[in-house]
Amino acid sequence: MARFVLWGTYCDNALEKRAPFRDEHLERLKALKESGTLITLGPTVGSTHVFAVFESDSESTVRALLEADVYWREGIWTQLDVYPWVQAF
């Protein structure tokens, strides 16, 4: 398994706009965390960007997981950049 990082952006007024979708989003993240696929995920202060670390067999798998998330489908996340990552420490 390889590790991948996500660096993405949120829409304007994300804290307000995400409210109807937050429970679904968090439940899905919890399941990904429990399966070992999601290592960590969270927003920057001010909720302008999102950062995450995933463990997966491919970048395309991570991208598919992200694009299936309600935050992407509903436009809360506006850009998702995924990069292969080498954990040095």
Side-chain angles (χ1 to χ4, degrees), residues 10-57:
Y10 283 96
C11 67
D12 292 335
N13 301 315
L15 296 179
E16 295 168 16
K17 292 178 181 176
R18 74 180 185 185
F21 315 109
R22 188 159 168 75
D23 288 344
E24 178 184 341
H25 173 70
L26 293 177
E27 285 299 315
R28 188 163 181 279
L29 294 179
K30 181 179 175 185
L32 290 171
K33 178 83 169 159
E34 289 173 354
S35 74
T37 301
L38 176 62
I39 307 303
T40 191
L41 184 142
T44 58
V45 173
S47 295
T48 58
H49 290 80
V50 59
F51 173 81
V53 178
F54 290 88
E55 191 163 74
S56 180
D57 58 349

